[in-house]
Amino acid sequence: MKKIFGTSLLLAGMTVLAQTKEDSIQFNRISTEILNNGKGYSELKELTKNIGNRLSGSEAYEKSVQWAEQKLRDAGADKVWLQEVMIPVWVRGRESLHIRTSKGSWKNIKMLSLGNSEGTGGKDISGEIIMVKSLDEYEKLPTEKVKDKIVFFNYPFNQEHVQTFIAYREAGAYRRTAASLTAKKGGKFAIIRSLSSAFDDVPHTGNMRYQENSAKVPAITIGNTSADELETLLQQQKIIAKLNSNCGMKGEKLSHSVIGEITGKKDQEVIVVGGHLDSWDVGEGAHDDGAGIVQSIEVLRTFKKLGIQNNHTIRAVCFANEENGTKGGKQYGKTAKENSEKHLFAIESDAGGFSPRGISLEMDDIKRNQIKSWGKLFLPYGVYNFEGKYSGSDIAPLHEMGVPAAELVPDPQRYFDIHHTAEDTFEKVNRRELLLGSAVMTQLIYMIDKNW
Amino acid sequence: MKKIFGTSLLLAGMTVLAQTKEDSIQFNRISTEILNNGKGYSELKELTKNIGNRLSGSEAYEKSVQWAEQKLRDAGADKVWLQEVMIPVWVRGRESLHIRTSKGSWKNIKMLSLGNSEGTGGKDISGEIIMVKSLDEYEKLPTEKVKDKIVFFNYPFNQEHVQTFIAYREAGAYRRTAASLTAKKGGKFAIIRSLSSAFDDVPHTGNMRYQENSAKVPAITIGNTSADELETLLQQQKIIAKLNSNCGMKGEKLSHSVIGEITGKKDQEVIVVGGHLDSWDVGEGAHDDGAGIVQSIEVLRTFKKLGIQNNHTIRAVCFANEENGTKGGKQYGKTAKENSEKHLFAIESDAGGFSPRGISLEMDDIKRNQIKSWGKLFLPYGVYNFEGKYSGSDIAPLHEMGVPAAELVPDPQRYFDIHHTAEDTFEKVNRRELLLGSAVMTQLIYMIDKNW
């Protein structure tokens, strides 16, 4: 009995080794196929150069829907369809910010209204700027000091975080709340220092929201150089600002997320890989999130091209309206629930098309540890970090329904130089870095499809 | 006795924990200082924009020597000096390549002579091009098929290696040997496809060498797009090439490496951190290896700024002539030997100023394992890979003398898009990625200085 038991253990051990070898070969096939023949980079060029930026509700977004539909078909998806989503429509229009000293002449400052902010309705709004360095400092200001003023929230992006997303989250509190905080004390509008790791004058837009019952005063952002200059000026003298903007919400509109899938051979349980098809209305939405879109489509293409027989249905989802509403993600979750679709796993790529370094896992410890146990397979592809416990905003509704969720973790050093700016262009994306991200997502989905 | 032994173990364990905590705090101080106040990025801007490329023997190289001397003083080095080195002088001059079909007109092709190649002496050399895909294929060609021909070594950079340095080494065999192989069979000159991971028409220069007694026929390189076009043409018809170039070796010259050090508090044993000050004569030598230079100077600056009391002498070496002779590295090793200087450790940064991912260790297993045992300290800075067993070419002479050697391992995906080209400019370097490399080298030197 002892001997038989020993032999069984040995056989079990050999099976594990053989499995690992087989997986390692499959990982290599996937990476080789994508690095040699990947379509993601040329597809990203089409999306960014032929269509460009594509805010929800824009004509460009609708073009990108048609484009994504075609690319999913080209990738060999068995089924491609559009999922209806009601999305908010926010429009920027003309806008400008000028400042002057008490006796000086007006100077134009590069700026962007924050997404979802109301504007000045095309009229000039002007007043004296007051500056605060933190939310704490603002809270301590008596209402009379803020009333009729323009509040400059001059909170800098903290360069010392190696993980730039931490700095982004910290500074993000200002972007989200500045307008309502300003309104609450009677201020005219809010200026925030951009959430930017770059030492330049490029303003970074991004979503803001008004608190319930808040007066909808405008919120705008300026680049780091302008913020530095304004800071220096304000330490010396009184500064008047004048804003003229036409942005604002223009109701809702019917639009679409785009979905393609390759059907499971064993069952119809769904594995989701996705990114968001919309972008802000500046730049080309290349890293954010054209990268995630083409990487997700590449996953399907690679399964088909290599003839990997997927047990479960693998679905690439190009979500609508992540930037200023996440309506696409919410609708996807709602529809899955209504149709009682079972989802096995979901992964999102929405942190830029940079070299992959890890996979963040939002799931129970049993599943997390199983994925971690595959870590050695990923190491040759530069992926070593499985410690994150978050996933992405578009698959959050799925996760809330109990679906294990994940996010691709690329190198975070360059992202916040160009995030939500005119500089987020195709030229900032490296072919090999982008393709490696697709390879890693394909490898992970191969493992989950095989083992779950 | 047992109890006392237990207590000792506990105390020892507590000491290790306290040490690790102290080191972790020091690592964070180093990274914080460099990410907030690092000078490397602005110094790299000076080196690349005010001086530009700086091939050994050029006036620009001599300017960079003065510049480095000043920067080492600014960093707070206790002692700064120039080390004399005899360097080879290679000059490019005017050069052009034209091709035509038997009956067509000449078409200009973007090209670069390889470094150290002889030219045509300003005369046209022309002949029919024959193409080979590999060294194997070339070897099988009978001499009469090569005689008086121009050999196009059309070996592509292998995109499927995740570790691009492997592809670079493979393709490097062509760059080094093409000229002498061509000469051996009576060919007129060699054209090689650039060692490039980019899909563009940028030629990548780099070092070649003639075998002993080889006729010194020219060797030139063309970008990937031109190589693709030439390949297609050659499959259809006979193609004539015409080269006119003025490059060649112009003897030797006295020049200098630049060295700065902060003196050890306990002894004079030396820890070296270095890069090479010279670059190729195109682009700005930003990643290769301006990055390594400013990162090495930053190490000294950070020790001084944070007041870390170094036990051993820490020396930043800006090596002369890495690209086409490695005379600086050789001279440094020779001088160290002559002066019986003891070296504790040497690390080089010469793989680009990209996000650090690892440290490659060329040393005995005891030292290697000790450094690996510090791995957890490095993980928050994105450094996880200690598996490499090489170091750098400038510190190879030190390693041959028994000195444990290492190299910073940055992310390798973008390097061979721009390596040795007109595109290796300051704009291709990201501030945070560059500074993180300095932080990791400073952290490692802090550990070695403290523990060895």
Side-chain angles (χ1 to χ4, degrees):
Chain A
M1 191 58 195
K2 214 174 176 184
K3 200 178 159 194
I4 294 171
F5 183 64
T7 311
S8 307
L9 260 187
L10 186 69
L11 283 174
M14 285 169 65
T15 310
V16 169
L17 275 182
Q19 285 287 331
T20 304
K21 198 179 166 192
E22 184 193 308
D23 292 336
S24 162
I25 290 170
Q26 198 65 283
F27 270 47
N28 184 257
R29 284 183 75 213
I30 290 167
S31 163
T32 299
E33 164 58 23
I34 293 179
L35 286 175
N36 279 333
N37 308 314
K39 301 261 182 277
Y41 188 65
S42 55
E43 288 184 352
L44 185 62
K45 189 171 183 182
E46 292 174 19
L47 178 62
T48 53
K49 297 301 177 188
N50 299 351
I51 298 176
N53 67 55
R54 45 199 180 279
L55 185 62
S56 283
S58 67
E59 230 177 274
Y61 180 76
E62 298 307 320
K63 275 187 200 161
S64 74
V65 167
Q66 289 169 26
W67 174 88
E69 198 183 351
Q70 186 57 49
K71 293 300 137 181
L72 283 162
R73 289 193 202 289
D74 295 349
D78 298 319
K79 201 178 144 194
V80 179
W81 71 100
L82 306 186
Q83 182 169 74
E84 291 192 347
V85 199
M86 286 305 291
I87 52 157
V89 180
W90 179 80
V91 175
R92 180 177 301 281
R94 273 191 314 110
E95 54 188 14
S96 68
L97 174 71
H98 290 83
I99 62 167
R100 67 168 171 82
T101 56
S102 309
K103 292 168 184 178
S105 56
W106 290 109
K107 188 194 166 190
N108 186 49
I109 302 284
K110 230 172 141 175
M111 55 75 74
L112 285 172
S113 292
L114 291 178
N116 288 2
S117 172
E118 292 301 317
T120 69
K123 292 175 197 155
D124 287 351
I125 295 186
S126 60
E128 187 189 342
I129 305 180
I130 56 167
M131 172 172 74
V132 292
K133 284 289 191 95
S134 69
L135 290 177
D136 273 0
E137 191 185 335
Y138 182 74
E139 256 174 47
K140 286 176 196 144
L141 277 185
T143 301
E144 65 269 24
K145 292 258 182 187
V146 179
K147 193 162 168 14
D148 292 333
K149 298 287 195 307
I150 289 146
V151 186
F152 173 34
F153 291 87
N154 186 23
Y155 180 81
F157 189 94
N158 189 342
Q159 290 285 351
E160 68 196 55
H161 291 298
V162 175
Q163 300 308 325
T164 53
F165 279 85
I166 298 174
Y168 177 67
R169 266 199 302 277
E170 282 175 5
Y174 292 80
R175 195 181 73 198
R176 280 191 304 277
T177 63
S180 283
L181 290 178
T182 298
K184 206 184 268 176
K185 293 188 181 177
K188 288 184 171 174
F189 64 89
I191 304 175
I192 69 156
R193 181 187 276 265
S194 280
L195 282 53
S196 167
S197 55
F199 289 69
D200 61 23
D201 203 32
V202 177
H204 294 226
T205 188
N207 210 13
M208 57 76 68
R209 61 178 84 113
Y210 294 107
Q211 287 160 20
E212 224 171 313
N213 303 321
S214 169
K216 295 191 170 176
V217 305
I220 67 168
T221 183
I222 60 177
N224 270 325
T225 315
S226 285
D228 290 343
E229 285 168 12
L230 186 55
E231 178 178 338
T232 306
L233 282 173
L234 284 166
Q235 281 156 354
Q236 299 159 350
Q237 58 200 303
K238 195 170 139 175
I239 300 292
I240 310 294
K242 178 175 74 181
L243 174 68
N244 190 309
S245 61
N246 292 276
C247 57
M249 297 300 306
K250 312 286 174 194
E252 285 192 317
K253 183 178 164 181
L254 181 67
S255 187
H256 299 90
S257 295
V258 188
I259 306 174
E261 69 179 29
I262 50 180
T263 316
K265 304 304 171 219
K266 275 198 200 157
D267 64 43
Q268 305 303 309
E269 265 192 90
V270 178
I271 293 172
V272 161
V273 55
H276 63 85
L277 188 53
D278 64 309
S279 78
W280 280 109
D281 61 334
V282 289
E284 297 170 358
H287 278 291
D288 188 13
D289 184 26
I293 291 295
V294 299
Q295 287 172 330
S296 298
I297 296 172
E298 191 98 81
V299 172
L300 298 197
R301 192 193 65 76
T302 306
F303 266 80
K304 280 286 181 177
K305 174 80 179 291
L306 295 180
I308 304 172
Q309 298 289 305
N310 49 305
N311 295 320
H312 311 280
T313 291
I314 302 174
R315 195 177 275 179
V317 185
C318 308
F319 292 100
N321 181 236
E322 193 274 345
E323 292 295 6
N324 64 331
T326 58
K327 298 290 185 191
K330 283 168 190 151
Q331 183 63 52
Y332 184 86
K334 194 168 163 239
T335 306
K337 203 170 198 174
E338 284 165 3
N339 297 346
S340 306
E341 281 180 346
K342 200 172 164 205
H343 278 71
L344 191 66
F345 173 73
I347 183 167
E348 186 166 327
S349 167
D350 186 17
F354 307 99
S355 278
R357 280 184 172 263
I359 300 160
S360 171
L361 305 169
E362 194 171 20
M363 56 190 67
D364 66 46
D365 280 348
I366 294 171
K367 290 211 159 49
R368 171 194 310 279
N369 289 332
Q370 189 187 11
I371 292 179
K372 280 189 183 179
S373 77
W374 305 332
K376 274 199 174 170
L377 286 164
F378 286 99
L379 208 49
Y381 307 92
V383 168
Y384 62 97
N385 178 4
F386 297 87
E387 297 308 312
K389 297 196 169 183
Y390 52 89
S391 63
S393 52
D394 277 320
I395 57 176
L398 282 178
H399 179 67
E400 280 159 24
M401 290 156 57
V403 179
E407 186 167 45
L408 184 68
V409 180
D411 191 288
Q413 301 310 322
R414 283 133 68 204
Y415 198 41
F416 295 106
D417 283 6
I418 50 101
H419 182 246
H420 295 178
T421 74
E423 304 288 313
D424 182 7
T425 58
F426 176 70
E427 289 72 16
K428 301 295 194 306
V429 180
N430 176 267
R431 179 182 170 277
R432 294 181 55 87
E433 293 187 349
L434 178 78
L435 295 181
L436 269 177
S438 326
V440 168
M441 291 206 295
T442 310
Q443 290 163 340
L444 178 64
I445 288 173
Y446 158 77
M447 289 300 282
I448 284 172
D449 179 63
K450 184 180 160 183
N451 293 290
W452 284 15
Chain B
M1 190 61 197
K2 215 174 173 182
K3 199 180 163 195
I4 295 171
F5 183 65
T7 310
S8 307
L9 260 185
L10 185 69
L11 283 174
M14 283 169 67
T15 310
V16 168
L17 275 183
Q19 285 288 329
T20 304
K21 197 179 168 192
E22 183 193 310
D23 293 335
S24 161
I25 290 169
Q26 198 65 284
F27 270 47
N28 184 257
R29 283 184 76 212
I30 290 168
S31 163
T32 299
E33 163 59 23
I34 294 179
L35 286 176
N36 278 335
N37 308 314
K39 302 260 183 275
Y41 188 65
S42 55
E43 288 184 354
L44 185 63
K45 190 172 184 182
E46 291 174 21
L47 179 62
T48 53
K49 296 301 176 190
N50 300 351
I51 298 177
N53 67 56
R54 45 201 181 278
L55 185 62
S56 283
S58 67
E59 230 176 275
Y61 181 76
E62 298 308 321
K63 274 188 203 162
S64 74
V65 167
Q66 289 169 26
W67 174 87
E69 200 183 348
Q70 186 57 50
K71 293 299 136 182
L72 284 161
R73 290 194 203 287
D74 295 349
D78 298 317
K79 204 178 142 194
V80 179
W81 71 101
L82 306 187
Q83 182 169 74
E84 291 193 347
V85 200
M86 288 302 294
I87 52 156
V89 180
W90 180 79
V91 174
R92 181 178 301 279
R94 274 191 312 112
E95 55 187 14
S96 68
L97 174 71
H98 290 84
I99 62 167
R100 65 168 171 81
T101 57
S102 311
K103 294 169 185 173
S105 57
W106 291 109
K107 187 192 167 190
N108 185 50
I109 302 284
K110 228 172 143 175
M111 56 77 72
L112 285 172
S113 292
L114 291 179
N116 288 3
S117 172
E118 292 301 318
T120 69
K123 291 175 200 156
D124 287 352
I125 295 187
S126 61
E128 187 189 340
I129 306 179
I130 55 167
M131 172 173 73
V132 291
K133 283 291 190 93
S134 69
L135 291 176
D136 273 0
E137 189 185 335
Y138 181 73
E139 256 174 46
K140 286 177 194 142
L141 276 185
T143 302
E144 66 268 23
K145 292 257 182 184
V146 178
K147 196 165 166 10
D148 293 333
K149 298 288 198 305
I150 289 145
V151 186
F152 173 34
F153 290 88
N154 186 24
Y155 181 81
F157 189 94
N158 189 341
Q159 291 284 351
E160 67 196 55
H161 292 297
V162 176
Q163 300 307 324
T164 53
F165 279 84
I166 298 174
Y168 177 68
R169 267 200 301 277
E170 282 175 4
Y174 291 80
R175 196 182 72 199
R176 281 192 304 277
T177 63
S180 284
L181 290 177
T182 299
K184 204 183 267 174
K185 294 188 180 178
K188 288 183 173 173
F189 66 89
I191 304 175
I192 69 156
R193 182 188 276 265
S194 281
L195 281 55
S196 167
S197 54
F199 290 69
D200 61 24
D201 203 31
V202 177
H204 294 225
T205 188
N207 210 14
M208 57 78 68
R209 61 176 84 113
Y210 293 107
Q211 286 160 21
E212 225 172 312
N213 303 320
S214 169
K216 296 192 169 174
V217 306
I220 67 169
T221 184
I222 60 178
N224 269 327
T225 316
S226 286
D228 290 343
E229 286 168 11
L230 185 55
E231 177 178 337
T232 306
L233 283 174
L234 284 165
Q235 282 157 354
Q236 299 160 349
Q237 57 200 307
K238 198 169 135 175
I239 301 292
I240 311 295
K242 178 175 74 180
L243 174 67
N244 191 309
S245 62
N246 292 276
C247 57
M249 298 299 307
K250 312 285 176 198
E252 286 192 317
K253 183 178 166 181
L254 181 67
S255 189
H256 299 89
S257 294
V258 188
I259 306 174
E261 68 179 30
I262 49 180
T263 317
K265 304 303 169 221
K266 276 199 200 157
D267 65 41
Q268 304 303 308
E269 266 193 271
V270 178
I271 293 172
V272 162
V273 55
H276 63 85
L277 189 53
D278 64 308
S279 77
W280 280 108
D281 61 333
V282 289
E284 297 170 357
H287 277 291
D288 188 12
D289 183 27
I293 291 296
V294 299
Q295 286 172 329
S296 298
I297 296 171
E298 191 98 79
V299 173
L300 298 198
R301 190 192 67 76
T302 306
F303 266 80
K304 280 285 182 181
K305 174 80 180 292
L306 296 181
I308 304 173
Q309 299 289 306
N310 48 304
N311 295 320
H312 311 281
T313 292
I314 302 173
R315 197 177 272 178
V317 186
C318 308
F319 293 100
N321 182 234
E322 192 272 347
E323 293 294 6
N324 64 331
T326 58
K327 298 291 186 193
K330 284 168 189 149
Q331 184 63 53
Y332 184 87
K334 196 169 162 239
T335 306
K337 204 171 196 170
E338 284 165 5
N339 297 348
S340 303
E341 281 180 346
K342 203 173 163 205
H343 278 70
L344 190 68
F345 173 73
I347 183 166
E348 186 167 327
S349 167
D350 185 17
F354 307 99
S355 278
R357 280 184 172 265
I359 300 160
S360 171
L361 305 169
E362 194 171 19
M363 58 190 65
D364 65 45
D365 280 349
I366 293 170
K367 291 210 158 50
R368 172 194 310 283
N369 289 332
Q370 191 187 9
I371 293 179
K372 280 188 183 180
S373 77
W374 304 331
K376 274 199 175 168
L377 286 165
F378 286 100
L379 208 49
Y381 307 93
V383 167
Y384 61 98
N385 178 4
F386 297 88
E387 297 308 314
K389 297 197 168 183
Y390 52 90
S391 62
S393 52
D394 278 320
I395 57 175
L398 282 178
H399 179 67
E400 281 159 24
M401 291 156 58
V403 179
E407 186 166 46
L408 183 68
V409 179
D411 191 288
Q413 301 311 323
R414 281 134 67 204
Y415 198 42
F416 295 105
D417 283 5
I418 51 100
H419 181 247
H420 294 179
T421 74
E423 304 288 314
D424 182 8
T425 57
F426 176 71
E427 289 73 15
K428 300 296 194 306
V429 179
N430 175 268
R431 179 182 171 276
R432 293 181 55 87
E433 292 188 350
L434 178 78
L435 295 181
L436 268 178
S438 327
V440 168
M441 292 207 294
T442 310
Q443 290 162 340
L444 178 64
I445 288 173
Y446 157 77
M447 288 300 282
I448 284 173
D449 179 63
K450 182 179 163 185
N451 294 289
W452 284 16

